[in-house]
Amino acid sequence: MKRNEELSKLTSVKEWDFIVIGGGASGLGSALDAVSRGFRTLLLESHDFAKATSSRSTKLVHGGVRYLAQGDIGLVREALKERGLLAKNAAHIVKNQSFIIPNYTWWGGIYYKIGLSVYDFLAGKLSLGKTKYISRSKTIAKLPTIEQKNLASGVVYQDGQFDDARLAINLAQTIIKKGGSAINYLKVVNLLKNDSGKITGVVAEDQFSKTRYKIYSKVVINATGVFTNEILNMNNPKHGKFVVPSQGIHLVLDKSFLKSDDAIMIPKTSDGRVLFVVPWHDRALVGTTDTLLEEPSFEPHALEAEISFVLNTARQYLAKKPTREDVKSVFAGLRPLAAPKDGSKSTKEVSRSHKVITSETGLVSIIGGKWTTYRKMAEDTINEAMKIHRLGNTTSKTENLSIHGNMNPEQVDRSNHLYVYGSDIPAIKALQENNPEYTEKIHPDHPFTIAEAIWAIRNEMAETIEDILARRVRLLFLDARAAIDSARKIALIIAKEKGYSQEWTNEQEKEFIKLAEGYLLTPYSPKNSLNNNM
């Protein structure tokens, strides 16, 4: 997957069947669905793949226990089916994760055991395991860091966990492997229309060279998530608001706060939501919140009220009480929710299911949804586009389509941090064997190596420090200070690989550090020992 090779396709293809705008879950899914049906497909992303919402999830592939409580059986059933398919099609990045609900009342155990047995039943043959009621002592044995005062029992249920940004990269690789094209840092700045006002393509600008391309296509799909309204504005400035952004934040803590392979699910927080404490890349991920915002942004910041809410809730349930100083990284993501008709302000009222809308100009927009159901959202989107544009009736091929990196689950060694690369592992190991200096760690406290950075630049379209440290390896999300300490090292690697100047290196480093400081809750003070040149 090389960006210059993808760019060259822009001049060689006269007209595409599909242009998909947006390189997050719904865009990548839609492009893969279209290309696997045999359509000439191009995906354009204005930043990096999964830069916005799609790299900032709670890392769960789940049916949605909360939607079950709300009685939305259809949504739960669909998500459970998709969870099973994803675990089969991308076994290297999706794994079975057990969750424990700690109960502090005598009836809690019975109540959740019954509710989650329905969850298991709805999953049918794709169930990941039976829900079990466990005693107080068993709960403490499994969760040594749980708050023990008044603890009555626990309920264990199974769900899925994955690495969101990794899946995004693998989807982009699959699109290209299937004969389509996917390009990051190519921003759609306008829509092309014919004399009768129908969309015939887009104008896109390369964010590095500032070159503009006129690209023609039979269909344009708007899969820009929280930025949907921007593309709708280009199409028709009077369109009204279709998407409202809702912010969810996550705090990342040291593993000592969750000395367990089990996750904790807190079913009723003070605002009536659920909160998770999940083991992820040898850290504890705590989240999330649900705050309606006025405007979307590519770098949303956690609000003080959200940080306090997550810390306070975690303190009620964890024996070791986390403080701001314990937070290794904080990240915020925006959910693209389908706007309510009545202007309602509660995110509980805003639809979690997805909607496909078509404009008179032929623009097809996909809104709402979540990572778990990305494949089904894509299928619905392409079906609708084919109907509107009369492109025949080929059916979707993605239900059993293996995604780049997929391996036999028995062969996935999760004790090695490289497992998320799946079938690419031998190639990364070969890089290390041929260049022993590549075995050096990016940062001494974390397992990621220089070989992974080199691999990302050469094969995964990583163009900036942020692409590598935020999304190819997840260092920025796991430990923002370590990411800042590693910035120079990564800048020098990119510059050497791509022949960039010293000036570029300095500018990149400065830019990344400024961005990374937004992931910290306490001020950064540099450790000079790590900032040395390679």
Side-chain angles (χ1 to χ4, degrees):
M1 189 161 96
K2 294 177 172 49
R3 191 168 181 272
N4 52 0
E5 287 176 12
E6 296 310 305
L7 281 171
S8 69
K9 293 178 188 174
L10 296 182
T11 44
S12 61
V13 176
K14 292 280 175 284
E15 186 192 38
W16 299 84
D17 294 319
F18 279 87
I19 288 176
V20 179
I21 312 171
S26 53
L28 290 159
S30 298
L32 181 55
D33 191 288
V35 77
S36 59
R37 294 192 207 206
F39 292 112
R40 275 171 310 201
T41 306
L42 168 68
L43 178 137
L44 304 174
E45 163 56 48
S46 65
H47 290 66
D48 184 28
F49 305 113
K51 154 72 182 172
T53 310
S54 297
S55 59
R56 298 160 187 267
S57 73
T58 315
K59 324 300 173 203
L60 302 181
V61 186
H62 63 110
V65 176
R66 189 173 62 161
Y67 316 131
L68 186 64
Q70 291 168 3
D72 197 339
I73 301 293
L75 189 59
V76 175
R77 185 176 271 140
E78 175 180 280
L80 286 169
K81 178 192 172 187
E82 292 302 320
R83 178 189 75 177
L85 292 174
L86 191 54
K88 193 182 67 182
N89 296 333
H92 61 303
I93 31 180
V94 179
K95 69 184 185 74
N96 190 346
Q97 174 65 56
S98 53
F99 289 77
I100 299 177
I101 301 176
N103 301 302
Y104 292 86
T105 57
W106 66 267
W107 55 265
I110 303 158
Y111 174 77
Y112 292 114
K113 167 78 173 79
I114 294 167
L116 285 157
S117 297
V118 177
Y119 195 61
D120 294 345
F121 173 74
L122 290 172
K125 64 176 188 294
L126 293 171
S127 165
L128 300 175
K130 263 195 166 43
T131 295
K132 291 196 300 269
Y133 172 89
I134 56 173
S135 66
R136 175 183 188 269
S137 59
K138 191 85 188 282
T139 306
I140 294 166
K142 278 181 158 298
L143 296 174
T145 58
I146 197 74
E147 175 54 70
Q148 296 179 17
K149 193 183 171 192
N150 298 330
L151 180 70
S153 64
V155 171
V156 189
Y157 74 96
Q158 306 298 320
D159 232 327
Q161 191 193 29
F162 79 133
D163 190 311
D164 48 14
R166 271 274 126 220
L167 179 56
I169 297 304
N170 289 157
L171 288 170
Q173 289 166 317
T174 315
I175 290 161
I176 291 169
K177 211 153 66 177
K178 291 263 163 217
S181 181
I183 313 177
N184 55 3
Y185 295 101
L186 202 61
K187 182 181 178 164
V188 171
V189 291
N190 218 334
L191 300 173
L192 298 170
K193 291 181 183 175
N194 63 15
D195 295 345
S196 46
K198 299 287 185 202
I199 289 179
T200 56
V202 303
V203 178
E205 182 180 88
D206 186 327
Q207 297 302 283
F208 301 126
S209 67
K210 299 300 171 197
T211 308
R212 285 199 169 192
Y213 298 88
K214 273 188 176 177
I215 315 168
Y216 293 93
S217 173
K218 291 179 182 142
V219 187
V220 174
I221 306 268
N222 173 15
T224 52
V226 289
F227 303 97
T228 298
N229 296 327
E230 280 182 26
I231 303 292
L232 288 170
N233 260 340
M234 285 177 198
N235 182 50
N236 167 16
K238 300 199 259 316
H239 72 83
K241 224 177 192 181
F242 278 98
V243 170
V244 290
S246 155
Q247 175 158 292
I249 74 150
H250 294 86
L251 304 181
V252 178
L253 302 170
D254 190 75
K255 192 73 164 78
S256 60
F257 288 90
L258 180 73
K259 292 179 183 162
S260 175
D261 292 332
D262 297 295
I264 302 171
M265 195 273 242
I266 299 161
K268 267 278 189 285
T269 59
S270 58
D271 71 347
R273 305 196 173 277
V274 300
L275 193 84
F276 293 102
V277 185
V278 186
W280 185 60
H281 287 298
D282 218 28
R283 289 274 187 266
L285 182 72
V286 191
T288 181
T289 54
D290 214 340
T291 314
L292 278 181
L293 298 183
E294 282 302 307
E295 288 303 321
S297 122
F298 271 100
E299 269 304 321
H301 287 289
L303 306 172
E304 275 307 317
E306 293 179 299
I307 295 163
S308 303
F309 165 75
V310 174
L311 281 174
N312 290 338
T313 308
R315 279 183 206 129
Q316 289 169 31
Y317 291 88
L318 297 175
K320 185 179 174 185
K321 313 295 179 195
T323 65
R324 291 175 72 92
E325 283 66 38
D326 296 311
V327 175
K328 297 281 185 186
S329 187
V330 53
F331 60 92
L334 304 179
R335 304 174 189 87
L337 304 183
K341 295 279 181 284
D342 57 1
S344 150
K345 276 282 174 256
S346 163
T347 57
K348 292 176 186 168
E349 309 312 314
V350 183
S351 173
R352 278 291 191 270
S353 55
H354 60 277
K355 291 191 173 86
V356 182
I357 351 172
T358 52
S359 309
E360 278 149 29
T361 57
L363 180 70
V364 178
S365 300
I366 167 78
I367 56 174
K370 58 181 195 283
W371 252 123
T372 307
T373 53
Y374 89 95
R375 191 209 64 80
K376 181 71 173 78
M377 288 157 58
E379 181 180 328
D380 292 351
T381 305
I382 302 304
N383 283 347
E384 184 64 18
M386 286 171 67
K387 198 171 84 191
I388 298 289
H389 291 272
R390 301 196 172 96
L391 293 176
N393 51 11
T394 343
T395 52
S396 175
K397 307 283 185 283
T398 54
E399 227 175 78
N400 300 303
L401 180 72
S402 196
I403 291 159
H404 181 94
N406 193 20
M407 283 173 78
N408 178 334
E410 268 88 73
Q411 293 171 326
V412 180
D413 172 15
R414 296 195 194 274
S415 65
N416 182 338
H417 80 281
L418 289 176
Y419 78 82
V420 292
Y421 294 93
S423 57
D424 285 333
I425 295 170
I428 294 168
K429 285 186 170 166
L431 260 184
Q432 294 179 340
E433 281 155 23
N434 299 331
N435 310 272
E437 69 275 22
Y438 292 175
T439 57
E440 186 196 328
K441 287 180 172 184
I442 291 172
H443 186 281
D445 298 348
H446 295 268
F448 313 114
T449 63
I450 300 295
E452 291 172 76
I454 300 278
W455 175 261
I457 297 161
R458 292 180 189 172
N459 302 290
E460 295 182 342
M461 245 185 252
E463 303 293 326
T464 67
I465 302 176
E466 185 202 343
D467 294 348
I468 293 175
L469 293 183
R471 289 173 293 276
R472 304 305 184 277
V473 303
R474 308 307 301 272
L475 193 55
L476 177 61
F477 284 36
L478 295 165
D479 187 340
R481 273 185 178 72
I484 292 171
D485 289 336
S486 311
R488 180 142 198 92
K489 186 183 271 190
I490 297 296
L492 289 165
I493 293 169
I494 300 172
K496 189 176 169 190
E497 282 287 307
K498 292 184 169 281
Y500 292 155
S501 66
Q502 183 65 46
E503 190 187 11
W504 180 92
T505 309
N506 297 341
E507 194 49 45
Q508 256 291 298
E509 185 186 10
K510 210 162 68 199
E511 233 172 75
F512 176 76
I513 290 173
K514 190 178 169 203
L515 171 116
E517 282 173 341
Y519 289 68
L520 292 171
L521 289 188
T522 51
Y524 170 77
S525 53
K527 283 185 193 166
N528 289 329
S529 61
L530 288 174
N531 258 346
N532 53 8
N533 293 1
M534 274 185 66

